[in-house]
Amino acid sequence: MKLKAPPGTEDILPAQAGLWQRLEATAREVFARWGYGEIRTPVLEFTSLFVRSIGEATDVVEKEMYVIGEGDDSLALRPEATASVVRAYLQANLHKVRAFQKFYYIGPMFRHERPQAGRRRQFHQMGIEAIGSLDPLLDAEVVTVACELFGAFGLSGFRLRLNSIGTPTSRRGYRELIRERLGRQAEALCPDCRRRLERNVFRILDCKRPACVEITRNLPSILDHLPEDEREHFRRVCSALRSAGVEFEEDPYLVRGFDYYTATVFEITHGALGAQDALCGGGRYDNLVADLGGPPLGAVGFAIGVERVLMALRESGQAEERPRLDVFVATVGGDVRPAAFTHLVALRRAGLRAEADYEGRSLKAQMRSANKLGARFVLIVGEDEARQGVFRLRNMATAEEKVLPDIQAVIAEATTDRGSNRCA
Ligand code: AMP
């Protein structure tokens, strides 16, 4: 019997969950402020949805999907969420209500990759999709949301790169050009890239092997081979980003791993991350809505890898802050424990973070627990206090003790000056 979590998956224990919750709450706030509404789609979809959208000759579809069953009924654990969001948008006929709609999602994705630092088999993404417009200002908005979000996470030092890859039709000429050029140097390419020559030549631009990088960096820029209207679109995106004060670099060799991308593509990386340095990937996918049976509508979005954000935060020294406790209820002697329990309930009902001892420990050990938990106050309930009907509250920062007449006075004292210690 295997009693460990499967490779490439991990448990998020309470000590880490606080940071996850903080990131999720921040993302929800930022997405809502920028006008994105939450969408939750199933973790399972028909496999054909991903084959059709992401593309048959991509790594994700070829090698990395968890597929259950065969044929038309075959299901897959979602490797990403864009296809699901578009499917849901069309299935609910949202385009008939109003074509232009903006969504966000947060949730787990699944890819059967070789697990390593920053590469998991179950990982989490938070992303947005703005469907129903070809406006270059919308590309700029989506890119800006990603950067704002990293700012709101308190993460700096990330790098944003931007490119335009045209459409399958408009890039045909460039594709033939690079296929011909790369074909002449096929021997020098890695075995994967030699295979990509026929199947997916653009992915060669994405290869990280030094020999392949050296060859691809001598290729002409795709931007010079796109039609004027597409170049103009890209210029407008760049200009809107500059005017919004978003720093970016144009990278003519940036491509993305999914077939549905058209026109603007972007990636955000972080230097603290090592080999798997991408925090966020996104771009336009102007053919996908129609490819999935809807009307011809432009769309743009991104996905951020939550585990990678956490890694970048840790690497750049953003310590995890454990929520502090407001009051630890310490008891002296077993007889007072039921009374102390009533106080504990009253404190919690009043919105305070309160804890007590359930292990029958001595007062000294209870004080140590209170310290460890970062308690601001300790309510000491002994037989004397119980008999006299008073409440002894110790301020842990000043070591000052107050004798208070009732639990309401304790609540009032512990509620003042809570600062960042609030539950919400
Ligand atoms: P993609 O959906 O491939 O464009 O990826 C978007 C983002 O998700 C990446 O920039 C990473 O931050 C994250 N990501 C993708 N694959 C993985 C993985 N296997 N493990 C952890 N994070 C991932």
Side-chain angles (χ1 to χ4, degrees):
M1 191 168 36
K2 292 183 175 169
L3 293 175
K4 284 189 172 164
T9 71
E10 63 194 1
D11 302 308
I12 299 160
L13 301 173
Q16 297 112 40
L19 198 51
W20 279 81
Q21 287 170 0
R22 203 184 85 199
L23 293 190
E24 286 169 5
T26 304
R28 287 178 198 285
E29 192 281 315
V30 171
F31 292 152
R33 188 149 41 87
W34 288 73
Y36 292 77
E38 184 176 13
I39 185 164
R40 301 186 190 201
T41 61
V43 168
L44 280 173
E45 296 275 0
F46 285 115
T47 307
S48 51
L49 174 70
F50 300 118
V51 176
R52 180 115 173 230
S53 54
I54 296 173
E56 218 154 346
T58 57
D59 285 353
V60 164
V61 167
E62 253 184 4
K63 306 187 273 205
E64 295 169 3
M65 273 204 297
Y66 285 94
V67 176
I68 306 161
E70 282 171 33
D72 284 352
D73 293 334
S74 144
L75 299 175
L77 285 174
R78 63 177 181 194
E80 60 103 49
T82 303
S84 305
V85 172
V86 174
R87 197 251 330 119
Y89 165 87
L90 291 173
Q91 186 174 334
N93 280 318
L94 297 184
H95 58 296
K96 293 188 181 151
V97 182
R98 189 175 171 213
F100 184 64
Q101 307 232 5
K102 304 200 296 185
F103 306 94
Y104 82 82
Y105 59 83
I106 300 176
M109 309 294 156
F110 305 86
R111 295 183 196 171
H112 190 265
E113 309 202 64
R114 196 167 53 80
Q116 52 184 290
R119 202 175 269 288
R120 320 297 302 164
R121 289 181 170 170
Q122 174 176 332
F123 59 99
H124 297 76
Q125 288 185 336
M126 38 180 67
I128 63 175
E129 313 292 350
I131 304 176
S133 165
L134 290 163
D135 189 343
L137 295 179
L138 189 61
D139 309 35
E141 171 176 303
V142 165
V143 173
T144 309
V145 174
C147 296
E148 293 288 312
L149 191 52
F150 289 129
F153 290 156
L155 191 65
S156 54
F158 52 85
R159 178 175 172 219
L160 164 64
R161 286 174 304 132
L162 214 65
N163 192 20
S164 176
I165 57 166
T167 65
T169 317
S170 71
R171 65 179 168 244
R172 199 175 286 150
Y174 182 72
R175 189 173 58 223
E176 289 320 312
L177 177 89
I178 63 171
R179 180 177 284 151
E180 194 264 323
R181 290 262 193 113
L182 293 168
R184 275 194 260 144
Q185 303 173 76
E187 259 85 287
L189 294 171
C190 72
D192 282 344
C193 285
R194 277 204 291 274
R195 249 183 299 116
R196 290 179 182 134
L197 263 178
E198 284 315 311
R199 290 176 62 76
N200 202 345
V201 72
F202 276 100
R203 292 293 292 165
I204 299 179
L205 300 181
D206 209 18
C207 185
K208 303 280 186 295
R209 291 196 180 86
C212 299
V213 173
E214 203 183 307
I215 293 170
T216 54
R217 292 310 174 262
N218 289 318
L219 292 172
S221 157
I222 185 168
L223 277 175
D224 298 334
H225 293 264
L226 292 179
E228 178 49 29
D229 59 332
E230 292 183 11
R231 279 155 54 181
E232 177 58 17
H233 180 98
F234 188 62
R235 278 196 291 272
R236 288 190 189 180
V237 177
C238 294
S239 144
L241 286 173
R242 273 186 213 106
S243 64
V246 175
E247 278 179 35
F248 65 94
E249 296 158 40
E250 289 181 38
D251 178 352
Y253 304 108
L254 177 71
V255 290
R256 310 272 320 123
F258 304 153
D259 284 358
Y260 56 62
Y261 282 115
T262 54
T264 316
V265 290
F266 67 99
E267 188 162 84
I268 298 176
T269 52
H270 198 284
L273 284 182
Q276 307 302 325
D277 63 353
L279 289 172
C280 170
R284 274 207 162 267
Y285 46 94
D286 291 336
N287 295 339
L288 185 59
V289 181
D291 282 351
L292 297 182
L297 290 173
V300 50
F302 69 66
I304 289 175
V306 184
E307 282 82 355
R308 303 249 179 112
V309 173
L310 289 168
M311 278 171 73
L313 284 172
R314 277 191 203 112
E315 293 298 320
S316 48
Q318 292 260 317
E320 240 157 87
E321 39 170 293
R322 275 194 68 129
R324 289 178 58 198
L325 197 66
D326 292 310
V327 186
F328 189 93
V329 181
T331 49
V332 194
D335 293 349
V336 296
R337 291 195 65 242
F341 177 74
T342 332
H343 304 331
L344 179 66
V345 171
L347 291 167
R348 286 171 173 169
R349 284 193 177 140
L352 292 160
R353 278 177 200 270
E355 199 45 273
D357 170 61
Y358 283 101
E359 295 159 289
R361 305 168 93 183
S362 69
L363 181 62
K364 209 166 151 196
Q366 290 180 63
M367 294 307 276
R368 267 203 306 273
S369 295
N371 255 325
K372 236 192 221 159
L373 293 167
R376 292 162 53 242
F377 294 93
V378 175
L379 178 64
I380 301 163
V381 188
E383 268 155 28
D384 289 349
E385 287 81 13
R387 203 173 336 103
Q388 294 163 26
V390 295
F391 291 75
R392 190 144 64 94
L393 189 68
R394 183 183 174 89
N395 182 323
M396 297 297 275
T398 61
E400 183 199 355
E401 280 188 13
K402 280 190 183 169
V403 177
L404 300 165
D406 51 34
I407 191 72
Q408 290 312 323
V410 174
I411 292 168
E413 184 76 22
T415 308
T416 52
D417 192 30
R418 290 180 73 208
S420 60
N421 203 18
R422 220 154 297 145
C423 294

